[in-house]
Structures are given as structure tokens and as C-alpha cells.
Amino acid sequence: MKRQDFYFDLPEELIAQDPLEDRSSSRLLVLNRETGEVSHHIFKEIINYLEPGDCLVLNDTKVIPARLIGAKEGTGAKIEVLLLKRGEGNVWETLVKPGRKAKPGTRISFGDGLLVGEVVDIVDEGNRLIRFEYEGIFEEILDQLGQMPLPPYITHQLEDKNRYQTVYAKNTGSAAAPTAGLHFTPELLRQIEEKGVDIAKVTLHVGLGTFRPVKVDDILEHHMHSEFYQIEAEAAEKINRAKDNGRRVICVGTTSCRTVESAADENGRLKECSGWTEIFIYPGYQFKVLDCLITNFHLPESTLIMLVSALAGREHVLNAYEEAIQERYRFFSFGDAMLIV
């Protein structure tokens, strides 16, 4: 299976640069994965596709303001640091630009010394391990100094940090938002619950893999980065109950999908658990838990378009994307949504 099999041509002006004022007023393309049939709606109409007893699975991870701009001690040279993964003793795995200025021993000052980092090692793919020094609470300092780590294709400044968070974000730790969830409002979630739909919350902290393109021609050679996930007993029970009752499990976003598919046993059963996943879902994969998926429109040749193609078929997905482009849908993180049924 070749990377080029998942290519499509996207006009640059369809890349959404700003979130809509009303989250739930984005557009919704509904794709029938059996027939390939497509229909067009407004996102809040998603409730018409949910049935009592269904289970809607949300990823409640919270994005940290992980992008820090600092100055190299001694020279004052500007260095940008993106926090990826927290380790022991205030050490973080980071992506540093420009990397050549961040050799082991380099010290970087942020916020006039409010936060100081020292590069202690260089690891996989040039990522740096940085040990931070500070007084007070790290999260509060980060909230003061950090910026939201928007994907590189978003060039506009984000006025309100909360617009790159879901309204149900709770567990801090992501370097990127689970963007399919950005369309939900508290009001819409309340209406969904009132309809008798169970809502299960799982956690997957989204890592750098979200930004990484597939660079190898043979997609089977692509290496996924590991991401931490957690499923509590209550969420596992809700998902299992839907399956037992012949109802559907509808995942909001590829991250929720990857969480439940990573954690399920061979019979598609879940229990309370946590761990790290490197699951890579591409055509040929047999889904154990997920029945339907709510997702955004993804980058060409990305692991995410491969995942949706595993669910709905590559031809159906690419045809739906072609129609979305003709209909001038907005693409990527702040863009419109797709429901695969």
C-alpha cells in the first residue's frame, strides 16, 4: 500500500485559519461507508444520527500551551521549544528550533528567567531532553508563558486559547487538540444525553505524531509515535453495555478511536486500563469496538486519512473529499466535520 494512494489536491484557501464563532454551526458531511453516499448538513444536526442506547466516546485530554519562545543564555539567540512528553524530574522531551543552537549543556531562558531550561540529551529524530528550573507551579508558569501549539498550516494568531480546547477538556497533557471534539457545545452535549445517548470519556494525550507526515512510500514502514491513554471503569462499562445491547459505539475523533481499539481485547471488550499506544490503523484493519466515527477532514497522505479509509474504504473517502472540496468545505483542525456511518 503506497502513500500516494491517499493523495488528494486541496486548494490552500480551504484550510481553515480561524474557528467559527459558534462551534456547532460548522458543516457536517455524512458518509455512508457501505454505499459511499454523501449528504450535507450542519454539525448540530448530528443529533439526528444518534439513537438512544448508542455510546458517544469523547477524548477529554486538555492541550497544554506547549510552545515556548526563549533566549539562549550567553548569546540571546531566539529558540523555540515545543513540549512533547513529560518525563521524570522536570525533564521533558521537546522539539527545538533551530536544533543546531541547542546542544547538550545549552541553557535557555523563558520570560526573563521565570523559567530556565537546560538541554541534557539528544534523542530520537533530534528531539531534545530539557530539564526545567523554576519556582512555583510549572503549569501556572506555562499558562503564563506558553502559546497553544497550533499546527504549522494555521498561520493566524489564536485570539482565545480556549478555542483550541474542547468544552469537555479535563486531563492535561496534549501537544495538540483532538479537533473533532471542537464542534461540540455544552448545549449540544446536553441534548444528546437527553435523547438517551450514553457519553463515555476516555483520555489520549495527543503527541507529535499528529503533525508528522508519512515520509516513506510503503506505508507499512511508517513508525507511529507512542501516546499515553487511559480508560476508567465507568467509560469501559458504558462502551461494553452498548455493544452488549446491539447499539453503536460512535467515536469522536481518531484519537478516541485509537484509544478504544488499542485497549480492547480480541472480543472487543474493554476494562479499566492505561498504557502507551503506537497503533497504526490503515485499510485492512478490522475494527473491534468502533461502529461510527465523527472526524474532521485530514491532510493528504496522513495516517489519519488512512484510518478513515480503513473504516469507509479508500475510494469512498477520496470521493467524499472531492465532493467536500467542490462544496467548499473548510479543512483540517478548525475546519468542518464528517460523520461516517
Side-chain angles (χ1 to χ4, degrees), residues 200-212:
K201 292 176 180 174
V202 300
T203 305
L204 182 135
H205 292 322
V206 189
L208 182 67
T210 293
F211 300 116
R212 278 248 156 89

Side-chain angles (χ1 to χ4, degrees), residues 171-283:
N171 293 315
T172 304
S174 270
T179 54
L182 295 178
H183 305 282
F184 287 91
T185 62
E187 170 71 7
L188 181 56
L189 288 168
R190 185 182 61 76
Q191 291 170 356
I192 287 168
E193 283 193 291
E194 285 175 354
K195 191 172 182 177
V197 176
D198 258 343
I199 294 180
K201 292 176 180 174
V202 300
T203 305
L204 182 135
H205 292 322
V206 189
L208 182 67
T210 293
F211 300 116
R212 278 248 156 89
V214 177
K215 293 180 178 174
V216 289
D217 286 334
D218 181 351
I219 69 168
L220 301 186
E221 294 175 7
H222 177 70
H223 172 65
M224 295 286 282
H225 284 74
S226 64
E227 295 168 313
F228 179 79
Y229 71 87
Q230 186 164 9
I231 298 177
E232 294 184 354
E234 183 186 1
E237 286 165 16
K238 287 179 177 181
I239 293 165
N240 289 340
R241 183 165 64 233
K243 300 304 277 187
D244 290 344
N245 293 338
R247 308 309 302 173
R248 299 172 304 168
V249 173
I250 300 153
C251 288
V252 176
T254 56
T255 60
S256 299
C257 164
R258 292 176 63 243
T259 302
V260 299
E261 292 296 321
S262 296
D265 66 18
E266 62 275 11
N267 299 314
R269 305 287 296 176
L270 292 169
K271 61 183 180 183
E272 183 174 10
C273 62
S274 64
W276 295 83
T277 180
E278 296 178 358
I279 192 170
F280 180 16
I281 296 175
Y282 52 84

Side-chain angles (χ1 to χ4, degrees), residues 4-66:
Q4 296 89 330
D5 294 339
F6 300 90
Y7 179 79
F8 63 93
D9 194 25
L10 180 69
E12 197 172 324
E13 67 269 17
L14 295 185
I15 299 173
Q17 292 294 330
D18 302 289
L20 295 180
E21 193 168 328
D22 172 15
R23 291 173 183 260
S24 64
S25 66
S26 51
R27 295 165 77 186
L28 176 70
L29 183 149
V30 178
L31 170 63
N32 183 306
R33 61 186 169 122
E34 300 298 331
T35 65
E37 184 184 346
V38 162
S39 58
H40 305 284
H41 310 269
I42 301 298
F43 188 81
K44 60 188 69 167
E45 294 170 19
I46 196 109
I47 195 165
N48 299 332
Y49 288 88
L50 304 176
E51 300 294 338
D54 286 345
C55 183
L56 190 69
V57 184
L58 309 177
N59 179 7
D60 67 2
T61 188
K62 190 172 187 178
V63 186
I64 58 174

